Amino acid sequence: MSRTALRNGARTIGRALSATVFLLLVSTASIAQNGELAGQIIDADTGETLVGVNVVVPGTTIGGVTNLDGRYEVSLEPGTYTIVASFVGYVTVSAEIEIRTGETTTQDFEMEADLTGLEDVIVTGALSQRSRATSEVAVSRIQADQLVEVVPFNDVSQLINGKIAGVSVQPASGNVGGGIRFNIRSGGGLNGDGQPLIFIDGVRIDNAEFEGFGAGGQAVGVLSDINPEDIASIDVLKGPAASALYGTDASNGVVLIETKKGSLAAGQATGLQIDYKAVVGQNSRQVEYTEDTAFNTFEDANANFVDGGISQQTLGISGGSRSIRFFSQLDLRNEDGILPGNFQDRRSFRANVEAFPSDEVRVGVNASYTFNNVARPQNDNNIFGFLGNTVLPSAPYAFIDSLAVLGIENLTRANRFITSANVAYTPIENLTLRVTGGGDFSDLRQDVLFPQNFAYAGVQDGERNVFVREVDQITLDGVAAYTYDVVEGLVSTTTLGFQAFDRRRRNYNFDIQDFATSLITDAGTGTQFQAAGEFFDNLRQFGLLGEQSFVYDDTYSLTFGARRDYASSLGAEAADIIYPTVRGAVRFEQLDFVPEMFDLLKLRAAYGQSGQLPDVFDGIPVLYEAEVGGDGAGAVPVQVGNNEIVPERISEIEVGIDADLFNRLSLGFTYYNQRATDSIVDIIAAPSTGLVASNVPFNVGEITGQGIEFAINYTPYRDRANQVDLGLILNYQTNEVQDIGDAQPIFDGFDLNVISPGLPRSAFFTAPVNGARFNEDGTYAGVDSGVTENTDAESCDAELNRCLFGTPYPDFSGSFTANIRLLRDVRLYALVDFATGVSLFNNTRLFQVIFGNDRERSELADQLGFTTEFDDDGNVVDAGDFADLQPGSAEYIDAANRYARTDPGFDSNFVEDADFLKLREISIRYDFTRLLSKLPASYRLRTASITLAARNLFQTTNYSGPDPEVNFDGARSLSRGQDFLTIQNPRSFFATLTLGL
């Protein structure tokens, strides 16, 4: 560097320092001319001081936060102001104050607890936010930042399940890091995977289930990348009535996740808050195998399970000033499953910044990076797994050696970056402009290894599989909203906006076998190339949306709007679609004739439409792929599409009542009715078309659904030191397929779950067993099956020779929560959930029968004389000679009928009732903060607590297998409610220490 450059640099630094000193002097002089506002804020009922209350001047960045003593201080220029105090769980209060130069003005507040959540501001659509008191649709909010204080959560599904009316979330298995399935209302239409759209900080994220090279039926859920510790709140729009303006793919609802934002340190205008959390825990099996569930090998099956350790370290920093605030968090979580070879190692970092350059402009930037390792064990429909080798055969490890099972590796490594930026600008009063943009960028690599030194069926001297998946998703939306008074008492809000979405997916994979030694597993050293492939697709969507709302006298509200959607997956002759919505509500408690005991009495109704897009290639008339043949490479038609294809359209009517009484009791009731039309059904092309033998998509399907949601929250007792909060959720749903055109019933790959007119979607539909047939001499002659007038089953089809045997999702479900505060510092929490009217196919037991490892069938075979017996010389003796029962007797007939109902040739024999009740979550927490406040300030921690918690502590079910909530084919397929060697969900225990500085 030259001397001239050094001199110039020094001169520049000197000027900067001079400017900084000047600004500090000006700032100091300005502060000296200001006045001070100070006060204390307490709970109006209990007199307890409130920590962390925000005290602000609306429309500006001026404000402060109450400290551990409930006190705040704000420096203000002389003048008259409106001061607003707000705090989560309390009714916002305000006051007019006057500030004089050099004087301190005192303004204390008493805040009423908002026990029913009337003031919670929730998202009610793509263009609107309302308080719960004014919402025209049923929208539920989860305060995730409060929940993670009482129970550690591994993923988003655990945060949501059991806490929202009309919504349940189930893992497909007990695999750590596995796939999850959302069940929202009656499930929307026929198409799609039944999952909602998920947004984080305004960015649509990938919600796929990645299988790659299989490890049985289970896959990796990419939602396992999301760290629950980062989440502040979750809003769920449960159907088209609320989600219409989110357009295509929103028919199964929308999940809106907001991450934590920076905040001022309590009682300071600037400063930092540092929070540390440490979690240790253990996963263990819930249910042991017994002679009834694994006849000869139950001890070997139980020996497979291990106690998996859980450890988590979280460090968060939050703070800022009046003009900028930030939140940053590092989280390290390691969790082992309950079978060898299953673990998750997730490392995540988040940084969120909000800036307020002026009172009119707000800028936010959110970013997170996650590195996530998930290892899957071999289970489900898999002879290479521990359970397959110890539950099915009558002798353990009949298929493969236990060391060979241990030697298999299946590791998925994901790198994921999610970012968003938003700008809100208020150029004039009542006009707000907002733009949000960002993306979800992930690359995922799966490595599978079958070692060379073990023998595996279909594997020659070892095998290495590599699968790479890259997904880039970009979201951009803009909104302009203007609010104005039409006449006195009538407020109008006009909103216009757009949403754009672009998704690009790239996959490639290869498969190599034949390694010289187990010590070298590099893919390049395998001598036998097996297969390779690559895939790419690009989906683009764009929506124009508008909404107009009117509110009269805070009593009557009406909103209507529409969205016009364009998508690259639509046919050329049907390139767009319009979704309308209309909503209204009346708040009767605002009227004079309603008793004062009602804080809220609201009737609401809404109608909306949304849809499910066709598959990416459905709108292409003929799709070609590369093929290599004897004459070289060329293009071969592989799929026939339909250029007139349109999205499946789902319409929903929703009617509800919300009532709050005495600020202690909250009731919510909702009835909804859904109807899906233009559902996409594949119909085999006729030979006369001249097309390849292919299924062609047509809009010919229809399904209806309806249900009831009921929620009640009650605070029966509250004083300074104690509080009891109770919650109850009840759900009922039903659905029925109406039409699938000229197509044959659509079965899953295992010929069990079906889509067929007159039946619920994904119902178990198979041949019935009526009992046993008998020979003339009264001996057993086989199974009496098929639809007859004596068939004991509902909804039978004689032509197909099948009957309905239940559904893999419940008719009734619900949950009960208790949240109790004792002696100010002790908090008890519990969640119990249940489901009835649900069935599960026990395919594990079916194969146990095939392999001779089922206790009931073996005992019945002995009683009927079907067991092979030998004489003293080792010769086979007529089994009938050893029968325990006399043919023709009532006991023999009963045993024969029971034996027929264990025949493995009929799936209906193994569809079981699977109602359940579970103690899902329980915890006890002790807060040391009040004790710490008595220490000298120099030794004082801001917060400290210890929590003991458990998950899946207890279950009762009439299902004979270990877990009634699993599905062996993952969380996305048409196969649902099927248990085939699926690992049970673990029972988990946790101990948590949290510290705040």
Side-chain angles (χ1 to χ4, degrees):
M1 183 178 292
S2 67
R3 293 183 179 179
T4 301
L6 287 171
R7 283 196 300 270
N8 291 338
R11 188 178 296 116
T12 301
I13 293 172
R15 291 172 178 170
L17 289 173
S18 299
T20 302
V21 171
F22 175 75
L23 290 173
L24 288 173
L25 291 173
V26 171
S27 176
T28 302
S30 175
I31 293 173
Q33 295 174 7
N34 286 349
E36 295 294 324
L37 173 65
Q40 187 179 44
I41 302 180
I42 63 173
D43 186 301
D45 292 335
T46 67
E48 187 175 6
T49 57
L50 299 179
V51 181
V53 179
N54 288 298
V55 182
V56 299
V57 178
T60 75
T61 60
I62 300 172
V65 182
T66 57
N67 61 18
L68 294 175
D69 299 317
R71 299 188 178 277
Y72 70 94
E73 294 181 0
V74 180
S75 178
L76 294 167
E77 295 180 357
T80 300
Y81 298 89
T82 298
I83 297 296
V84 175
S86 62
F87 192 40
V88 175
Y90 283 80
V91 178
T92 299
V93 294
S94 63
E96 295 286 335
I97 54 98
E98 183 178 355
I99 299 296
R100 294 185 177 89
T101 302
E103 297 183 7
T104 298
T105 300
T106 300
Q107 178 63 58
D108 297 332
F109 290 104
E110 294 185 359
M111 299 185 71
E112 296 279 352
D114 181 21
L115 299 178
T116 58
L118 274 180
E119 294 207 348
D120 288 348
V121 177
I122 53 181
V123 178
T124 58
L127 298 178
S128 58
Q129 291 185 338
R130 300 281 182 88
S131 69
R132 193 181 70 83
T134 59
S135 171
E136 300 152 328
V137 291
V139 182
S140 300
R141 163 163 289 187
I142 296 172
Q143 290 294 154
D145 53 353
Q146 298 176 17
L147 276 173
V148 297
E149 292 181 354
V150 294
V151 177
F153 297 97
N154 181 45
D155 58 41
V156 174
S157 70
Q158 296 176 356
L159 262 177
I160 297 177
N161 189 53
K163 303 172 182 72
I164 294 179
V167 178
S168 68
V169 189
Q170 294 178 332
S173 78
N175 280 0
V176 176
I180 61 174
R181 185 190 294 273
F182 284 79
N183 299 296
I184 299 181
R185 291 194 164 171
S186 59
L190 290 177
N191 300 126
D193 56 11
Q195 306 309 293
L197 293 181
I198 300 180
F199 289 79
I200 294 182
D201 295 326
V203 170
R204 180 172 164 180
I205 67 166
D206 185 15
N207 177 26
E209 185 184 40
F210 169 78
E211 183 173 2
F213 292 98
Q218 297 307 319
V220 172
V222 300
L223 278 185
S224 67
D225 297 339
I226 309 303
N227 178 19
E229 295 289 339
D230 288 346
I231 299 174
S233 64
I234 303 173
D235 291 337
V236 180
L237 312 179
K238 292 178 279 190
S243 64
L245 296 187
Y246 283 91
T248 48
D249 292 334
S251 60
N252 293 299
V254 181
V255 177
L256 303 166
I257 297 173
E258 290 292 324
T259 59
K260 296 175 181 177
K261 302 297 187 290
S263 60
L264 299 179
Q268 305 176 36
T270 62
L272 297 177
Q273 293 184 167
I274 301 175
D275 293 284
Y276 171 76
K277 174 184 282 189
V279 179
V280 294
Q282 177 179 287
N283 288 322
S284 60
R285 67 164 176 254
Q286 289 191 70
V287 179
E288 290 189 354
Y289 288 91
T290 65
E291 279 190 290
D292 289 329
T293 54
F295 183 27
N296 296 301
T297 57
F298 68 94
E299 293 179 341
D300 298 282
N302 289 328
N304 291 321
F305 291 93
V306 296
D307 292 330
I310 302 171
S311 66
Q312 183 173 359
Q313 308 281 330
T314 307
L315 179 65
I317 302 176
S318 176
S321 65
R322 292 175 180 173
S323 59
I324 188 168
R325 296 175 188 177
F326 65 88
F327 170 80
S328 181
Q329 185 161 270
L330 174 67
D331 184 84
L332 309 175
R333 183 180 176 97
N334 189 283
E335 181 170 354
D336 293 327
I338 56 176
L339 280 183
N342 180 211
F343 67 81
Q344 179 179 15
D345 181 8
R346 183 180 64 211
R347 290 165 252 173
S348 67
F349 176 77
R350 171 167 291 279
N352 293 346
V353 179
E354 289 182 297
F356 310 90
S358 69
D359 293 341
E360 295 78 26
V361 179
R362 173 188 169 278
V363 179
V365 178
N366 311 289
S368 70
Y369 172 77
T370 302
F371 178 67
N372 193 17
N373 285 341
V374 176
R376 282 179 281 174
Q378 301 289 317
N379 280 319
D380 312 288
N381 194 18
N382 190 342
I383 64 170
F384 294 158
F386 284 107
L387 296 182
N389 275 278
T390 57
V391 175
L392 298 186
S394 56
Y397 298 101
F399 307 129
I400 185 174
D401 184 76
S402 59
L403 291 178
V405 177
L406 277 172
I408 302 172
E409 298 177 10
N410 191 311
L411 179 64
T412 301
R413 293 172 288 186
N415 293 276
R416 190 167 188 179
F417 179 63
I418 302 175
T419 184
S420 67
N422 59 81
V423 179
Y425 176 44
T426 307
I428 60 174
E429 187 177 2
N430 297 328
L431 174 63
T432 301
L433 308 176
R434 187 184 75 245
V435 177
T436 301
D440 179 5
F441 310 98
S442 65
D443 66 83
L444 180 152
R445 172 175 171 139
Q446 179 192 27
D447 287 274
V448 180
L449 175 66
F450 292 86
Q452 178 267 351
N453 55 325
F454 293 108
Y456 303 94
V459 176
Q460 176 180 325
D461 291 327
E463 181 174 280
R464 175 76 180 278
N465 313 131
V466 175
F467 196 113
V468 175
R469 176 182 186 266
E470 298 175 354
V471 178
D472 297 334
Q473 297 191 169
I474 297 174
T475 305
L476 177 66
D477 68 65
V479 174
Y482 182 61
T483 301
Y484 55 96
D485 293 332
V486 180
V487 296
E488 184 178 354
L490 180 60
V491 179
S492 170
T493 301
T494 303
T495 312
L496 299 174
F498 71 88
Q499 285 188 342
F501 175 71
D502 185 289
R503 183 192 69 199
R504 297 169 184 264
R505 294 187 300 188
R506 295 169 292 273
N507 299 341
Y508 67 85
N509 63 275
F510 62 84
D511 180 358
I512 299 292
Q513 290 189 2
D514 196 3
F515 294 89
T517 172
S518 62
L519 302 177
I520 302 176
T521 59
D522 182 272
T525 62
T527 61
Q528 297 294 325
F529 171 79
Q530 299 298 306
E534 48 183 343
F535 169 85
F536 171 83
D537 73 7
N538 181 199
L539 173 64
R540 290 165 302 209
Q541 296 174 242
F542 182 81
L544 294 172
L545 48 160
E547 183 177 86
Q548 176 64 55
S549 69
F550 297 98
V551 178
Y552 179 69
D553 200 25
D554 288 330
T555 304
Y556 307 95
S557 62
L558 175 66
T559 300
F560 54 88
R563 173 174 176 135
R564 186 169 188 171
D565 253 8
Y566 305 82
S568 59
S569 62
L570 298 180
E573 298 182 18
D576 66 276
I577 189 168
I578 295 177
Y579 299 112
T581 181
V582 60
R583 312 189 296 266
V586 179
R587 294 183 59 182
F588 288 100
E589 88 284 357
Q590 300 283 72
L591 304 176
D592 293 337
F593 66 84
V594 175
E596 293 184 359
M597 66 180 181
F598 285 98
D599 301 302
L600 174 69
L601 182 59
K602 180 182 63 177
L603 175 65
R604 50 180 167 78
Y607 171 81
Q609 294 184 349
S610 59
Q612 283 290 320
L613 281 175
D615 286 340
V616 175
F617 302 123
D618 279 358
I620 301 173
V622 181
L623 180 69
Y624 294 85
E625 72 174 3
E627 191 76 30
V628 178
D631 296 324
V636 175
V638 65
Q639 178 177 323
V640 178
N642 179 357
N643 62 0
E644 296 182 352
I645 204 75
V646 298
E648 178 185 39
R649 186 187 293 267
I650 296 93
S651 305
E652 181 181 63
I653 297 173
E654 175 186 295
V655 179
I657 298 174
D658 297 319
D660 289 5
L661 295 85
F662 309 109
N663 193 27
R664 292 294 180 95
L665 178 64
S666 172
L667 301 170
F669 173 85
T670 299
Y671 167 78
Y672 63 87
N673 189 297
Q674 296 180 347
R675 179 171 177 262
T677 57
D678 290 332
S679 299
I680 301 169
V681 176
D682 290 336
I683 298 178
I684 299 176
S688 60
T689 62
L691 301 173
V692 296
S694 172
N695 290 327
V696 182
F698 289 93
N699 294 109
V700 293
E702 180 180 343
I703 184 173
T704 58
Q706 59 183 329
I708 294 172
E709 301 164 0
F710 177 75
I712 179 171
N713 293 281
Y714 180 44
T715 303
Y717 185 81
R718 183 175 188 266
D719 62 23
R720 184 181 182 90
N722 308 284
Q723 181 169 328
V724 178
D725 296 313
L726 305 175
L728 176 67
I729 291 174
L730 299 173
N731 309 299
Y732 169 77
Q733 72 80 37
T734 183
N735 68 80
E736 182 178 314
V737 178
Q738 302 294 328
D739 187 19
I740 58 172
D742 295 328
Q744 294 296 312
I746 303 169
F747 284 92
D748 74 318
F750 301 92
D751 196 39
L752 187 57
N753 297 115
V754 71
I755 294 176
S756 182
L759 297 176
R761 184 189 53 255
S762 302
F764 295 116
F765 192 55
T766 188
V769 170
N770 303 312
R773 291 186 292 107
F774 298 93
N775 296 312
E776 291 183 1
D777 61 358
T779 58
Y780 181 79
V783 176
D784 177 13
S785 68
V787 178
T788 69
E789 58 183 18
N790 297 320
T791 298
D792 183 18
E794 56 179 319
S795 299
C796 293
D797 187 318
E799 183 177 345
L800 294 175
N801 200 33
R802 292 174 182 258
C803 295
L804 171 65
F805 286 93
T807 61
Y809 42 82
D811 297 329
F812 293 93
S813 62
S815 64
F816 172 78
T817 57
N819 205 329
I820 303 172
R821 180 168 61 97
L822 298 174
L823 305 175
R824 298 184 66 177
D825 302 321
V826 178
R827 183 174 176 183
L828 305 176
Y829 166 81
L831 168 66
V832 175
D833 61 346
F834 67 90
T836 65
V838 59
S839 300
L840 195 63
F841 175 54
N842 194 340
N843 203 20
T844 303
R845 188 185 177 201
L846 184 153
F847 272 83
Q848 286 176 311
V849 170
I850 292 174
F851 288 107
N853 198 27
D854 182 80
R855 178 176 181 172
E856 181 184 12
R857 187 165 175 87
S858 295
E859 291 179 347
L860 290 170
D862 288 342
Q863 295 173 20
L864 297 172
F866 299 154
T867 305
T868 300
E869 298 286 352
F870 301 90
D871 61 20
D872 294 337
D873 297 326
N875 300 314
V876 176
V877 181
D878 182 5
D881 295 342
F882 296 90
D884 295 335
L885 302 174
Q886 179 65 37
S889 67
E891 292 81 3
Y892 185 96
I893 293 173
D894 177 67
N897 285 328
R898 290 165 55 200
Y899 187 77
R901 291 190 173 94
T902 63
D903 192 296
F906 299 89
D907 289 342
S908 60
N909 284 333
F910 302 93
V911 177
E912 304 181 21
D913 291 337
D915 300 348
F916 67 83
L917 181 146
K918 292 194 175 189
L919 177 54
R920 186 75 66 176
E921 297 164 3
I922 188 169
S923 72
I924 180 170
R925 180 174 184 257
Y926 186 81
D927 192 334
F928 293 94
T929 301
R930 189 166 59 91
L931 295 177
L932 294 172
S933 66
K934 299 178 181 180
L935 297 175
S938 57
Y939 298 97
R940 185 183 301 174
L941 289 170
R942 181 172 51 83
T943 60
S945 66
I946 292 178
T947 304
L948 301 177
R951 183 173 179 82
N952 294 328
L953 188 62
F954 168 81
Q955 80 169 17
T956 179
T957 178
N958 47 10
Y959 176 58
S960 66
D963 194 335
E965 294 187 283
V966 297
N967 183 57
F968 86 96
D969 201 31
R972 292 294 188 271
S973 68
L974 179 57
S975 298
R976 296 186 61 177
Q978 300 190 32
D979 178 6
F980 189 18
L981 305 169
T982 308
I983 183 175
Q984 60 185 277
N985 285 285
R987 177 181 292 131
S988 306
F989 300 92
F990 311 93
T992 304
L993 170 68
T994 60
L995 302 173
L997 299 175

